[in-house]
Amino acid sequence: MPSRRRFLQAGALGGAALLLAGYAAVPSADPAPADGQRRWLQPRDAEIVAALAPTMLGRADLPLAQVIDGVDLAVAGLPPATRQEVRQLFDLLGNRWARRWLAGVRSPWRQAGQAELADFLQRWRDSHFLLQRSAYQALHQLIGAAWYGNPASWAAIGYRLPAGVMEMLP
Amino acid sequence: MSGRIPDPLRAGLASGWKVFDGSRQVQDLDWKADVVIVGSGAGGGIAAEVLSGAGLDVLIVEEGGLYSSADFRLNEAKAYSELYQESASRQTADKGVSILQGRTVGGGTTVNWTSAFRTPPDTLRWWQESYGLATLTPEAMRPWFEKAEQRLGIAPWQGMPNPNNLVLERGCQALGLRHARISRNVRGCWNLGYCGMGCPTNAKQSMLVTSIPAALERGARLLTRVRVERLQGDQAGKRIISLRGSLLAADGLTPSGRKLTVRAGHVVLAAGAIGSPAVMLRSDLPDSADLTGKRTFLHPVAMSAALMPERIEPYNGAPQTVYSDHFMHTQSLDGPLGFKLEVPPIHPLLAGVTFPGFGSAQAELLGRLPHLHASLALLRDGFHPDSQGGEVGLRGDGSPLLDYPLNDVVWDGVRRGWLAMAELQFAAGAERVLPLHTSAEPASSWRQARAMIESLPLQPLMAKLVSAHVMGGMAMGDDPTRGVVDEWGRHWMWRNLTVVDGSVFPTSVGANPQLSIYAFAWRAATALRIRLAAG
Ligand SMILES: Cc1cc2nc3c(=O)[nH]c(=O)nc-3n(C[C@H](O)[C@H](O)[C@H](O)COP(=O)(O)OP(=O)(O)OC[C@H]3O[C@@H](n4cnc5c(N)ncnc54)[C@H](O)[C@@H]3O)c2cc1C
């Protein structure tokens, strides 16, 4: 199970980061979010998606709740083994020590600036570690699927369903 | 409701077909049949039609649900979660290749892009020479291809290729590369371009609207939403005595807790080239060559996008109508990997997850979707001595995982593929060309593209590789030391087990595989029918 092994290594890496962190200032925690229930994403995961989506998708005016719901739906459709990996990824990113020392994002996700988030995405995308690249790709795919699968995204890219056919569907 | 498209599956159900939804069963099922067929895709569908036609009591068991034209909404998000294996996000173990496979009644044929090629003669000859499959000559196989072609309306496409395909055609013309139009399994196609989301007009002659209905019409039973877990072999190590499966809940993923047991005289395995070996591995049923799940091939696909001055609308029109085999013949069959050039349809969701880059870079590219074209290079794996494919294994929870290491021969093919595609795209008038790789930048000339492609790091999860063609893993061979099944798909060890899906191929096919699977399945099922009739 190479993929799982890699995420366990991530845990080990996280452990090393935690040790390192002992020498530095304590990063501030993500405030506990209050809002609604989803099938799969926990409120803390939703905050991470909300923080990353505008930078990932290059749009400031996203309907964030819809993107979060889209990610939730996408994850719910994955087989348990893959869902478990996504769980580990969000748990890792949601850990403030890992956020600070693995992702290199100083402030809590909600407050992180766009430049800082873009740096993080780029670093993981181009990383020498397969683990970080696969984490980036997982975020890219989940957020990309959530947004571009949503008809709200289509006008901006000039896409439209063939109207005549839609009318003939039962 | 006049003017609406009729749904033959709904009509059949209303007429009393024996179709059972596994998620609705309130108790365990304990069934008997002459033949149980695992999987309802290309191989399973054909086998069901052939065997039910002989008056046998056939039971088809399928992990996916029954969705038909009335459910098909031209909607990616809905289609991928309902009709695809792992919501269309199945990946190899290191996540280096994304794999598209169907998981619904009709399997991959319900969502495939309708390109139809006979098994290339050089592939058949290779199987004859290297696997002792002496009788599989192009001449001997011809009647089986013809049968499948007639049954499924496979014929040269008469329509005008869409602009996406015309880019490939123009590029080939400009560079003098051999190219041709693609035959398709359609009847009365509306030229919509939504084959991958399930054909809303029933024009695509998938198993869903052809062989499966024919089998049901003859009294075959179909049980959907059941995952076959294991087969039980007898003490003597010769016969399968029963099959066990888990019925799934309405989400189609989680076991409902209800179980299926089937006792059948014969088992036909058609769960696809990842699913079938997985059933055998879970069952601990060996083969004497220890080849089950090994040498699994993908036709790894590299892609190149291009911005064209003209409108392409790559989401509209028959998805694949032009191809070039030029690079299949520029080196020997077992030399550096040959590749077939085609184009993929581009719809928003899949583009969003497949096209590299994030932020404004990706947004700007996708913002020009109506002008986007993409080509694909489909690598012929399994012939070069260093191209051994991948291996299907099991995760802790029993689900299959394909480990497909990307080695130098594959990367060499990927790089040559990008180069060939970029040159063709510029020859066809592209303004910008972008190989699908996270470090690539859109190039504005062939020279610039070439320099960039030569320096791209060849690493998994940097290069975007995909596959919709899974083959091998329970290969044919002339004796039990070099094959899992014989040329009739019959298991060398478990004599009442026949494999009829894409897993029987000893190498990749070297062409989009559906017609090869139909023909081989038809041949295998006919042989089985004769054996069963003889008692
Ligand atoms: C998007 C897409 C486009 C394609 N385009 C083309 C094309 O244009 N031309 C071409 O030639 N080929 C194309 N293909 C490939 C082609 O469709 C497949 O090669 C072919 O369908 C494989 O047939 P099969 O019988 O091996 O398996 P499948 O068709 O995959 O069928 C296997 C079935 O078994 C079921 N199953 C799996 N495991 C179990 C289990 N444990 N219990 C019960 N059921 C199980 C699955 O749900 C599935 O329905 C495409 C495929 C895809 C996904």
Side-chain angles (χ1 to χ4, degrees), chain B residues 162-192:
Chain B
N162 70 1
N164 197 27
N165 280 272
L166 285 177
V167 173
L168 176 60
E169 189 165 272
R170 261 200 332 271
C172 288
Q173 281 161 354
L175 298 181
L177 305 189
R178 202 170 70 183
H179 60 282
R181 300 276 172 91
I182 296 179
S183 288
R184 307 179 59 219
N185 55 315
V186 293
R187 287 195 170 100
C189 173
W190 291 25
N191 204 10
L192 292 177

mmCIF file of all heavy atoms in Angstrom, chain B residues 162-192:
data_model
loop_
_atom_site.group_PDB
_atom_site.id
_atom_site.type_symbol
_atom_site.label_atom_id
_atom_site.label_comp_id
_atom_site.label_asym_id
_atom_site.label_seq_id
_atom_site.Cartn_x
_atom_site.Cartn_y
_atom_site.Cartn_z
ATOM 1 N N ASN B 162 -15.233 17.027 -35.933
ATOM 2 C CA ASN B 162 -15.385 18.340 -35.301
ATOM 3 C C ASN B 162 -14.051 19.091 -35.374
ATOM 4 O O ASN B 162 -13.010 18.511 -35.706
ATOM 5 C CB ASN B 162 -15.919 18.197 -33.857
ATOM 6 C CG ASN B 162 -14.892 17.600 -32.912
ATOM 7 O OD1 ASN B 162 -13.760 17.300 -33.295
ATOM 8 N ND2 ASN B 162 -15.282 17.423 -31.666
ATOM 9 N N PRO B 163 -14.072 20.395 -35.100
ATOM 10 C CA PRO B 163 -12.835 21.183 -35.257
ATOM 11 C C PRO B 163 -11.667 20.653 -34.418
ATOM 12 O O PRO B 163 -10.508 20.781 -34.821
ATOM 13 C CB PRO B 163 -13.262 22.589 -34.799
ATOM 14 C CG PRO B 163 -14.731 22.636 -35.067
ATOM 15 C CD PRO B 163 -15.235 21.256 -34.796
ATOM 16 N N ASN B 164 -11.986 20.047 -33.272
ATOM 17 C CA ASN B 164 -10.932 19.492 -32.416
ATOM 18 C C ASN B 164 -10.158 18.401 -33.155
ATOM 19 O O ASN B 164 -8.928 18.359 -33.139
ATOM 20 C CB ASN B 164 -11.591 18.942 -31.143
ATOM 21 C CG ASN B 164 -10.615 18.724 -30.004
ATOM 22 O OD1 ASN B 164 -9.577 19.383 -29.922
ATOM 23 N ND2 ASN B 164 -10.964 17.804 -29.122
ATOM 24 N N ASN B 165 -10.901 17.513 -33.839
ATOM 25 C CA ASN B 165 -10.268 16.446 -34.611
ATOM 26 C C ASN B 165 -9.615 16.978 -35.891
ATOM 27 O O ASN B 165 -8.604 16.446 -36.350
ATOM 28 C CB ASN B 165 -11.295 15.362 -34.962
ATOM 29 C CG ASN B 165 -11.554 14.419 -33.804
ATOM 30 O OD1 ASN B 165 -10.858 13.431 -33.645
ATOM 31 N ND2 ASN B 165 -12.538 14.737 -32.973
ATOM 32 N N LEU B 166 -10.214 18.048 -36.432
ATOM 33 C CA LEU B 166 -9.650 18.599 -37.677
ATOM 34 C C LEU B 166 -8.258 19.176 -37.460
ATOM 35 O O LEU B 166 -7.443 19.200 -38.383
ATOM 36 C CB LEU B 166 -10.584 19.672 -38.262
ATOM 37 C CG LEU B 166 -11.834 19.125 -38.950
ATOM 38 C CD1 LEU B 166 -12.726 20.269 -39.423
ATOM 39 C CD2 LEU B 166 -11.460 18.206 -40.128
ATOM 40 N N VAL B 167 -7.971 19.623 -36.234
ATOM 41 C CA VAL B 167 -6.621 20.130 -35.961
ATOM 42 C C VAL B 167 -5.612 19.003 -36.186
ATOM 43 O O VAL B 167 -4.585 19.195 -36.848
ATOM 44 C CB VAL B 167 -6.514 20.678 -34.518
ATOM 45 C CG1 VAL B 167 -5.066 21.037 -34.192
ATOM 46 C CG2 VAL B 167 -7.420 21.890 -34.339
ATOM 47 N N LEU B 168 -5.932 17.821 -35.662
ATOM 48 C CA LEU B 168 -5.015 16.689 -35.854
ATOM 49 C C LEU B 168 -4.898 16.350 -37.343
ATOM 50 O O LEU B 168 -3.800 16.122 -37.868
ATOM 51 C CB LEU B 168 -5.509 15.474 -35.054
ATOM 52 C CG LEU B 168 -4.718 14.178 -35.230
ATOM 53 C CD1 LEU B 168 -3.258 14.355 -34.820
ATOM 54 C CD2 LEU B 168 -5.346 13.037 -34.408
ATOM 55 N N GLU B 169 -6.035 16.343 -38.024
ATOM 56 C CA GLU B 169 -6.000 16.003 -39.448
ATOM 57 C C GLU B 169 -5.156 17.007 -40.242
ATOM 58 O O GLU B 169 -4.311 16.627 -41.056
ATOM 59 C CB GLU B 169 -7.429 15.948 -40.009
ATOM 60 C CG GLU B 169 -7.510 15.392 -41.407
ATOM 61 C CD GLU B 169 -8.927 15.010 -41.793
ATOM 62 O OE1 GLU B 169 -9.330 13.859 -41.514
ATOM 63 O OE2 GLU B 169 -9.651 15.866 -42.346
ATOM 64 N N ARG B 170 -5.385 18.300 -39.964
ATOM 65 C CA ARG B 170 -4.613 19.341 -40.669
ATOM 66 C C ARG B 170 -3.129 19.235 -40.386
ATOM 67 O O ARG B 170 -2.302 19.374 -41.280
ATOM 68 C CB ARG B 170 -5.102 20.728 -40.232
ATOM 69 C CG ARG B 170 -6.046 21.369 -41.189
ATOM 70 C CD ARG B 170 -6.164 22.887 -41.023
ATOM 71 N NE ARG B 170 -5.920 23.448 -39.715
ATOM 72 C CZ ARG B 170 -6.864 23.616 -38.772
ATOM 73 N NH1 ARG B 170 -8.101 23.220 -39.004
ATOM 74 N NH2 ARG B 170 -6.547 24.176 -37.619
ATOM 75 N N GLY B 171 -2.804 18.990 -39.115
ATOM 76 C CA GLY B 171 -1.389 18.857 -38.745
ATOM 77 C C GLY B 171 -0.739 17.716 -39.508
ATOM 78 O O GLY B 171 0.376 17.840 -40.036
ATOM 79 N N CYS B 172 -1.437 16.583 -39.581
ATOM 80 C CA CYS B 172 -0.887 15.426 -40.298
ATOM 81 C C CYS B 172 -0.723 15.740 -41.781
ATOM 82 O O CYS B 172 0.287 15.372 -42.388
ATOM 83 C CB CYS B 172 -1.802 14.212 -40.132
ATOM 84 S SG CYS B 172 -1.753 13.501 -38.485
ATOM 85 N N GLN B 173 -1.715 16.427 -42.334
ATOM 86 C CA GLN B 173 -1.599 16.791 -43.757
ATOM 87 C C GLN B 173 -0.392 17.687 -43.977
ATOM 88 O O GLN B 173 0.394 17.477 -44.892
ATOM 89 C CB GLN B 173 -2.882 17.511 -44.227
ATOM 90 C CG GLN B 173 -4.028 16.548 -44.509
ATOM 91 C CD GLN B 173 -5.393 17.235 -44.518
ATOM 92 O OE1 GLN B 173 -5.500 18.422 -44.204
ATOM 93 N NE2 GLN B 173 -6.431 16.497 -44.862
ATOM 94 N N ALA B 174 -0.224 18.671 -43.098
ATOM 95 C CA ALA B 174 0.867 19.634 -43.275
ATOM 96 C C ALA B 174 2.228 18.952 -43.178
ATOM 97 O O ALA B 174 3.161 19.314 -43.894
ATOM 98 C CB ALA B 174 0.758 20.741 -42.232
ATOM 99 N N LEU B 175 2.330 17.952 -42.297
ATOM 100 C CA LEU B 175 3.627 17.306 -42.101
ATOM 101 C C LEU B 175 3.766 16.016 -42.912
ATOM 102 O O LEU B 175 4.792 15.341 -42.839
ATOM 103 C CB LEU B 175 3.851 16.991 -40.618
ATOM 104 C CG LEU B 175 3.887 18.196 -39.666
ATOM 105 C CD1 LEU B 175 4.127 17.746 -38.241
ATOM 106 C CD2 LEU B 175 4.962 19.197 -40.092
ATOM 107 N N GLY B 176 2.722 15.671 -43.641
ATOM 108 C CA GLY B 176 2.791 14.468 -44.464
ATOM 109 C C GLY B 176 2.779 13.177 -43.658
ATOM 110 O O GLY B 176 3.412 12.196 -44.048
ATOM 111 N N LEU B 177 2.063 13.170 -42.526
ATOM 112 C CA LEU B 177 1.984 11.942 -41.729
ATOM 113 C C LEU B 177 0.713 11.178 -42.077
ATOM 114 O O LEU B 177 -0.353 11.772 -42.259
ATOM 115 C CB LEU B 177 1.948 12.265 -40.229
ATOM 116 C CG LEU B 177 3.068 13.122 -39.659
ATOM 117 C CD1 LEU B 177 2.973 13.142 -38.145
ATOM 118 C CD2 LEU B 177 4.429 12.608 -40.105
ATOM 119 N N ARG B 178 0.836 9.871 -42.143
ATOM 120 C CA ARG B 178 -0.319 9.044 -42.457
ATOM 121 C C ARG B 178 -1.384 9.215 -41.367
ATOM 122 O O ARG B 178 -1.083 9.223 -40.178
ATOM 123 C CB ARG B 178 0.120 7.588 -42.521
ATOM 124 C CG ARG B 178 -0.832 6.723 -43.327
ATOM 125 C CD ARG B 178 -0.224 5.368 -43.557
ATOM 126 N NE ARG B 178 -0.176 4.630 -42.296
ATOM 127 C CZ ARG B 178 0.370 3.429 -42.173
ATOM 128 N NH1 ARG B 178 0.931 2.840 -43.208
ATOM 129 N NH2 ARG B 178 0.369 2.807 -41.011
ATOM 130 N N HIS B 179 -2.631 9.356 -41.792
ATOM 131 C CA HIS B 179 -3.719 9.509 -40.825
ATOM 132 C C HIS B 179 -4.994 8.994 -41.474
ATOM 133 O O HIS B 179 -5.024 8.751 -42.683
ATOM 134 C CB HIS B 179 -3.886 10.972 -40.450
ATOM 135 C CG HIS B 179 -4.216 11.846 -41.631
ATOM 136 N ND1 HIS B 179 -3.249 12.256 -42.533
ATOM 137 C CD2 HIS B 179 -5.379 12.329 -42.088
ATOM 138 C CE1 HIS B 179 -3.825 12.978 -43.486
ATOM 139 N NE2 HIS B 179 -5.109 13.027 -43.244
ATOM 140 N N ALA B 180 -6.053 8.803 -40.685
ATOM 141 C CA ALA B 180 -7.305 8.290 -41.232
ATOM 142 C C ALA B 180 -8.447 8.651 -40.301
ATOM 143 O O ALA B 180 -8.234 9.158 -39.203
ATOM 144 C CB ALA B 180 -7.220 6.771 -41.418
ATOM 145 N N ARG B 181 -9.655 8.380 -40.775
ATOM 146 C CA ARG B 181 -10.856 8.602 -39.967
ATOM 147 C C ARG B 181 -11.134 7.343 -39.137
ATOM 148 O O ARG B 181 -10.743 6.237 -39.521
ATOM 149 C CB ARG B 181 -12.055 8.902 -40.880
ATOM 150 C CG ARG B 181 -11.867 10.141 -41.765
ATOM 151 C CD ARG B 181 -12.236 11.404 -41.017
ATOM 152 N NE ARG B 181 -11.872 12.621 -41.785
ATOM 153 C CZ ARG B 181 -12.697 13.241 -42.633
ATOM 154 N NH1 ARG B 181 -13.897 12.757 -42.877
ATOM 155 N NH2 ARG B 181 -12.300 14.337 -43.243
ATOM 156 N N ILE B 182 -11.846 7.518 -38.050
ATOM 157 C CA ILE B 182 -12.087 6.426 -37.099
ATOM 158 C C ILE B 182 -13.483 5.823 -37.296
ATOM 159 O O ILE B 182 -14.450 6.560 -37.494
ATOM 160 C CB ILE B 182 -11.935 6.958 -35.652
ATOM 161 C CG1 ILE B 182 -10.490 7.409 -35.407
ATOM 162 C CG2 ILE B 182 -12.354 5.906 -34.627
ATOM 163 C CD1 ILE B 182 -10.241 7.984 -34.010
ATOM 164 N N SER B 183 -13.559 4.503 -37.235
ATOM 165 C CA SER B 183 -14.868 3.843 -37.231
ATOM 166 C C SER B 183 -15.468 3.957 -35.838
ATOM 167 O O SER B 183 -14.757 3.970 -34.831
ATOM 168 C CB SER B 183 -14.734 2.369 -37.592
ATOM 169 O OG SER B 183 -14.441 2.230 -38.963
ATOM 170 N N ARG B 184 -16.806 4.037 -35.789
ATOM 171 C CA ARG B 184 -17.474 4.232 -34.491
ATOM 172 C C ARG B 184 -18.653 3.270 -34.347
ATOM 173 O O ARG B 184 -19.278 2.906 -35.330
ATOM 174 C CB ARG B 184 -17.985 5.668 -34.369
ATOM 175 C CG ARG B 184 -16.917 6.720 -34.626
ATOM 176 C CD ARG B 184 -17.490 8.138 -34.503
ATOM 177 N NE ARG B 184 -18.041 8.340 -33.182
ATOM 178 C CZ ARG B 184 -19.166 9.015 -32.929
ATOM 179 N NH1 ARG B 184 -19.863 9.546 -33.902
ATOM 180 N NH2 ARG B 184 -19.589 9.147 -31.685
ATOM 181 N N ASN B 185 -18.949 2.894 -33.096
ATOM 182 C CA ASN B 185 -20.094 2.010 -32.845
ATOM 183 C C ASN B 185 -21.333 2.843 -32.532
ATOM 184 O O ASN B 185 -21.744 2.978 -31.389
ATOM 185 C CB ASN B 185 -19.791 1.011 -31.706
ATOM 186 C CG ASN B 185 -19.358 1.681 -30.413
ATOM 187 O OD1 ASN B 185 -18.538 2.588 -30.424
ATOM 188 N ND2 ASN B 185 -19.903 1.225 -29.304
ATOM 189 N N VAL B 186 -21.886 3.438 -33.560
ATOM 190 C CA VAL B 186 -23.084 4.271 -33.376
ATOM 191 C C VAL B 186 -24.101 3.967 -34.468
ATOM 192 O O VAL B 186 -23.748 3.519 -35.560
ATOM 193 C CB VAL B 186 -22.735 5.783 -33.437
ATOM 194 C CG1 VAL B 186 -21.884 6.182 -32.239
ATOM 195 C CG2 VAL B 186 -22.012 6.145 -34.732
ATOM 196 N N ARG B 187 -25.371 4.227 -34.137
ATOM 197 C CA ARG B 187 -26.428 4.191 -35.151
ATOM 198 C C ARG B 187 -27.262 5.455 -34.966
ATOM 199 O O ARG B 187 -27.808 5.679 -33.892
ATOM 200 C CB ARG B 187 -27.325 2.950 -34.974
ATOM 201 C CG ARG B 187 -26.637 1.656 -35.407
ATOM 202 C CD ARG B 187 -27.635 0.500 -35.577
ATOM 203 N NE ARG B 187 -26.989 -0.641 -36.213
ATOM 204 C CZ ARG B 187 -26.533 -1.710 -35.568
ATOM 205 N NH1 ARG B 187 -26.678 -1.799 -34.257
ATOM 206 N NH2 ARG B 187 -25.953 -2.696 -36.230
ATOM 207 N N GLY B 188 -27.301 6.267 -35.986
ATOM 208 C CA GLY B 188 -28.073 7.509 -35.905
ATOM 209 C C GLY B 188 -27.513 8.496 -34.898
ATOM 210 O O GLY B 188 -28.261 9.132 -34.150
ATOM 211 N N CYS B 189 -26.201 8.623 -34.883
ATOM 212 C CA CYS B 189 -25.543 9.518 -33.907
ATOM 213 C C CYS B 189 -25.923 10.973 -34.161
ATOM 214 O O CYS B 189 -25.941 11.433 -35.296
ATOM 215 C CB CYS B 189 -24.032 9.336 -34.014
ATOM 216 S SG CYS B 189 -23.082 10.502 -33.036
ATOM 217 N N TRP B 190 -26.197 11.727 -33.080
ATOM 218 C CA TRP B 190 -26.551 13.141 -33.188
ATOM 219 C C TRP B 190 -25.320 14.038 -33.194
ATOM 220 O O TRP B 190 -25.454 15.263 -33.188
ATOM 221 C CB TRP B 190 -27.440 13.559 -32.016
ATOM 222 C CG TRP B 190 -28.801 12.976 -32.007
ATOM 223 C CD1 TRP B 190 -29.219 11.811 -32.579
ATOM 224 C CD2 TRP B 190 -29.953 13.545 -31.356
ATOM 225 N NE1 TRP B 190 -30.556 11.611 -32.324
ATOM 226 C CE2 TRP B 190 -31.025 12.653 -31.577
ATOM 227 C CE3 TRP B 190 -30.165 14.700 -30.616
ATOM 228 C CZ2 TRP B 190 -32.304 12.890 -31.078
ATOM 229 C CZ3 TRP B 190 -31.433 14.944 -30.114
ATOM 230 C CH2 TRP B 190 -32.503 14.044 -30.351
ATOM 231 N N ASN B 191 -24.146 13.433 -33.112
ATOM 232 C CA ASN B 191 -22.915 14.230 -33.152
ATOM 233 C C ASN B 191 -22.843 15.235 -32.003
ATOM 234 O O ASN B 191 -22.462 16.388 -32.191
ATOM 235 C CB ASN B 191 -22.843 14.972 -34.505
ATOM 236 C CG ASN B 191 -21.417 15.321 -34.886
ATOM 237 O OD1 ASN B 191 -20.465 14.856 -34.254
ATOM 238 N ND2 ASN B 191 -21.266 16.159 -35.890
ATOM 239 N N LEU B 192 -23.219 14.773 -30.805
ATOM 240 C CA LEU B 192 -23.280 15.692 -29.658
ATOM 241 C C LEU B 192 -21.934 15.899 -28.984
ATOM 242 O O LEU B 192 -21.560 17.009 -28.632
ATOM 243 C CB LEU B 192 -24.271 15.168 -28.613
ATOM 244 C CG LEU B 192 -25.740 15.180 -29.029
ATOM 245 C CD1 LEU B 192 -26.593 14.555 -27.923
ATOM 246 C CD2 LEU B 192 -26.195 16.600 -29.304
#
